[in-house]
Amino acid sequence: MDKSVFVPKKTGADYDLPPQIESWSDIQKHVNVFTNYNVLTDGKPSICHFSGWVAIRTGVAPAVRGSLTDPSLDVLVADAISGASRFRAIDCAATGSLKGHL
């Protein structure tokens, strides 16, 4: 990844908008940018296209494909802030089916 293209040089509430995300200027104050993650697998195998996003979202590297032993951060936040809401969260997928996105 070319960090000069996507990763903001200035961090904080007034981060700069590199060329790849400059179209976010109207919504910038509502968007946080998180970069430079390293996933520690704790000796577990690195499962292509799976280990990274699972470990980043849950904090735990999976042992096998399809293994989600801990809730993801978005689930923990939804549980904490949903209160008596009818819908705890709203999920969507570009394909129209969430089935293939877990």
Side-chain angles (χ1 to χ4, degrees):
M1 178 175 96
D2 183 353
K3 292 181 180 183
S4 68
V5 176
F6 179 77
V7 179
K9 290 177 182 61
K10 180 181 174 193
T11 61
D14 191 30
Y15 60 91
D16 63 307
L17 294 170
Q20 298 294 57
I21 59 173
E22 65 186 6
S23 64
W24 296 1
S25 62
D26 291 343
I27 60 167
Q28 179 178 1
K29 67 181 178 182
H30 303 291
V31 177
N32 294 316
V33 176
F34 297 93
T35 61
N36 300 319
Y37 283 100
N38 288 314
V39 172
L40 303 176
T41 61
D42 296 327
K44 296 173 185 155
S46 179
I47 305 164
C48 185
H49 301 291
F50 189 73
S51 294
W53 72 264
V54 171
I56 287 172
R57 292 178 66 187
T58 66
V60 178
V64 296
R65 183 173 298 282
S67 171
L68 298 174
T69 58
D70 295 315
S72 60
L73 179 61
D74 59 318
V75 170
L76 295 173
V77 170
D79 287 345
I81 67 172
S82 63
S85 299
R86 180 175 177 195
F87 300 107
R88 183 175 60 91
I90 297 174
D91 296 318
C92 61
T95 63
S97 171
L98 294 175
K99 185 177 179 181
H101 298 281
L102 300 176

